[in-house]
Amino acid sequence: MGDAAVQKERVSAEQVGAMRAVSIAQVLGTDMKKHFDITSRFQMLLKCADIGHLAAAPALHRRWAYQLEEEFFRQGDQERVLGLPVSPLMDRNLRGGMTKSQVGFFSIVGIPQFKAMTDLFEDANQMLEGVLENYHRWEAAAAAAGL
């Protein structure tokens, strides 16, 4: 018997069916409609990862937020030194600082982004809950500061 005949005898009909199913799945996986859906979901995940500290435990989130604020303020300080107009959110001399900006950032960017993610990934609901908890803390802080 030739090599092809020997190989044919070693592969069962069940194995051929399984290999065929995998091959079909791989070809369908290249379908451009699915490609754009997968790409959109991946971009959603990257965006949420970029602002993921919004969903972190409150103490960790505040630490991240204040580190980012300080980074922004340093940029504003540098702009001031260079005689440039200070960019929005980067002026440490303005009242409200992080407390004021976080409420807006959560409302406009964070909450909608994480809500959209939970629409695609139900298991991400716990992250949205973390975002909402931190948002409510910033809201309370802004109210207490009269902002």
Side-chain angles (χ1 to χ4, degrees):
M1 245 194 292
D3 287 337
V6 171
Q7 291 298 326
K8 186 175 181 182
E9 289 178 5
R10 292 184 182 167
V11 178
S12 70
E14 185 177 302
Q15 290 170 321
V16 169
M19 287 186 288
R20 182 176 186 276
V22 168
S23 297
I24 289 171
Q26 293 299 315
V27 169
L28 292 177
T30 62
D31 181 354
M32 291 309 287
K33 291 178 194 172
K34 288 184 179 186
H35 168 78
F36 291 118
D37 181 51
I38 291 167
T39 301
S40 295
R41 288 175 184 237
F42 183 67
Q43 288 174 343
M44 170 82 60
L45 290 173
L46 287 177
K47 288 177 183 179
C48 286
D50 186 42
I51 60 172
H53 69 89
L54 273 62
L60 181 59
H61 162 65
R62 288 183 72 83
R63 182 176 168 199
W64 270 98
Y66 283 114
Q67 287 175 339
L68 289 168
E69 180 183 50
E70 183 56 31
E71 181 181 329
F72 287 2
F73 285 165
R74 284 188 205 143
Q75 178 177 328
D77 296 344
Q78 196 62 31
E79 290 170 343
R80 187 174 281 109
V81 166
L82 295 171
L84 299 170
V86 177
S87 299
L89 305 177
M90 306 212 179
D91 191 342
R92 70 173 72 241
N93 300 322
L94 294 180
R95 183 173 179 264
M98 180 59 66
T99 302
K100 186 176 181 181
S101 67
Q102 282 299 96
V103 172
F105 184 75
F106 271 80
S107 298
I108 296 167
V109 178
I111 294 171
Q113 189 70 43
F114 279 88
K115 278 186 177 177
M117 189 170 79
T118 60
D119 289 345
L120 293 174
F121 304 99
E122 292 176 17
D123 292 341
N125 196 51
Q126 186 176 3
M127 293 171 70
L128 176 60
E129 290 170 8
V131 170
L132 293 172
E133 178 184 358
N134 285 319
Y135 171 68
H136 294 306
R137 287 174 182 264
W138 286 113
E139 271 188 324
L147 300 174

